[in-house]
Amino acid sequence: MTPAPHADPGPPVLDLSGLTRRYGSLTAVDDVSLRLPAGARHAVIGPNGAGKTTLLNLIAGTDRPDRGTIALDGADITRTATARRSRLGIARSFQQPTVIGDLTVLDNVVLAGWPHHPERRGAWRSPSRYRRHTESARRHLETVGLADLAGRPASTLSHGQRRMLDLAAALAGEPRLLLLDEPAAGLTDGDIGRVLGILGALPAQVAVILVEHHVEVVAQLATTVTVLAAGRVLVTGPAREALAHPEVRDAYHGTGAASAAVAEAKG
Ligand code: ATP
């Protein structure tokens, strides 16, 4: 019998194999392996000091592993510089937003997208190219709900708005993989709702890795979850299964958040 034809899913967008990072006698990330397909919505959770931020640093290239490999779209990037990884499609949004207060909201996004723009060479001398680049920056501001504030100095934005601007700047590079470090930290409930709406509407082909302490945010956005503890993978798999793990329930004991999140989880 002829086997049924099926589409080749191709290499995963991100393939981590045996990733390990030690600081002296402490192993912050310990033999972590993970494969993410295009469009993944993956959360990394775990207690303080579990190694979540270190893992993001290793993927972004701001820190280097002692052991293990990192592949993006099938190509080994373990030793690739951070700026090159960014041009290859890895973007990051930070817990403390990295906006330039003296520039307008729009110019922050224009600047962030500049190294990625196919027409960047000579664009300062070509008003039409500059306009096209500015238009795509405006579209990213619309995505995060800041289009009306495009002309304001970024220094006048609230904390929640800065977080949105940081996200628009990350999107300006049209990333294949977006690393989000605690996007809901320090936000009001209203702003968390807005972040959820924006992240829920990200382009389907962009893979997202979300580090987040708000378990309800994880449940609403992630279809798969990795739980880290002392640098090691405790469990990785569909969100519902991972959030139901006894150690996750214990960590959120008393808040009822873990049970509610399991009920709400997508994966
Ligand atoms: P949190 O939720 O508190 O942000 P985390 O899960 O992100 O924690 P990491 O920040 O990755 O954890 O830290 C993991 C461990 O590695 C911690 O024990 C931390 O103190 C240690 N660590 C992180 N960076 C360094 C460093 N540059 N030098 C030494 N130790 C470090």
Side-chain angles (χ1 to χ4, degrees):
M1 206 170 105
T2 318
H6 63 276
D8 178 1
V13 170
L14 183 73
D15 191 349
L16 308 179
S17 177
L19 219 52
T20 299
R21 177 63 166 117
R22 296 188 196 91
Y23 298 114
S25 60
L26 175 89
T27 306
V29 169
D30 193 354
D31 196 24
V32 170
S33 296
L34 181 67
R35 288 161 73 93
L36 294 184
R41 295 290 184 269
H42 190 80
V44 178
I45 64 172
N48 290 338
K52 305 178 297 293
T53 299
T54 304
L55 185 64
L56 290 192
N57 291 344
L58 295 175
I59 298 168
T62 52
D63 197 357
R64 292 300 159 95
D66 295 295
R67 222 164 43 76
T69 56
I70 306 168
L72 184 73
D73 290 321
D76 190 327
I77 58 160
T78 315
R79 302 283 148 209
T80 303
T82 309
R84 172 102 184 108
R85 289 187 204 198
S86 159
R87 285 197 298 277
L88 289 172
I90 298 180
R92 184 166 186 182
S93 166
F94 289 89
Q95 214 180 107
Q96 289 305 324
T98 48
V99 306
I100 303 173
D102 289 344
L103 291 183
T104 64
V105 168
L106 178 65
D107 280 343
N108 267 271
V109 184
V110 168
L111 199 61
W114 199 253
H116 304 270
H117 202 271
E119 294 182 320
R120 67 187 178 279
R121 287 183 215 293
W124 296 118
R125 295 190 301 274
S126 162
S128 63
R129 282 186 191 176
Y130 181 69
R131 253 196 315 277
R132 276 199 294 281
H133 183 54
T134 307
E135 279 159 17
S136 71
R138 277 188 197 281
R139 280 197 297 279
H140 293 301
L141 284 179
E142 273 162 27
T143 303
V144 303
L146 289 182
D148 291 348
L149 305 180
R152 289 242 311 249
S155 57
T156 63
L157 298 185
S158 69
H159 178 68
Q161 289 167 334
R162 282 170 184 242
R163 190 64 69 72
M164 296 299 106
L165 179 53
D166 192 45
L167 186 57
L171 291 173
E174 312 283 350
R176 305 261 301 124
L177 173 64
L178 180 59
L179 309 174
L180 301 174
D181 200 353
E182 298 197 36
L187 297 188
T188 62
D189 286 349
D191 279 341
I192 290 177
R194 263 187 290 283
V195 168
L196 279 171
I198 289 160
L199 297 182
L202 284 176
Q205 70 278 12
V206 178
V208 176
I209 300 183
L210 166 81
V211 164
E212 184 54 67
H213 283 286
H214 288 77
V215 75
E216 67 279 13
V217 171
V218 170
Q220 285 196 41
L221 290 176
T223 49
T224 52
V225 172
T226 291
V227 184
L228 282 184
R232 294 191 73 88
V233 174
L234 200 61
V235 57
T236 192
R240 195 181 295 270
E241 278 174 39
L243 292 172
H245 190 281
E247 293 202 29
V248 176
R249 284 177 176 269
D250 287 351
Y252 296 95
H253 182 70
T255 65
S259 314
V262 171
E264 221 176 313
K266 291 172 166 179

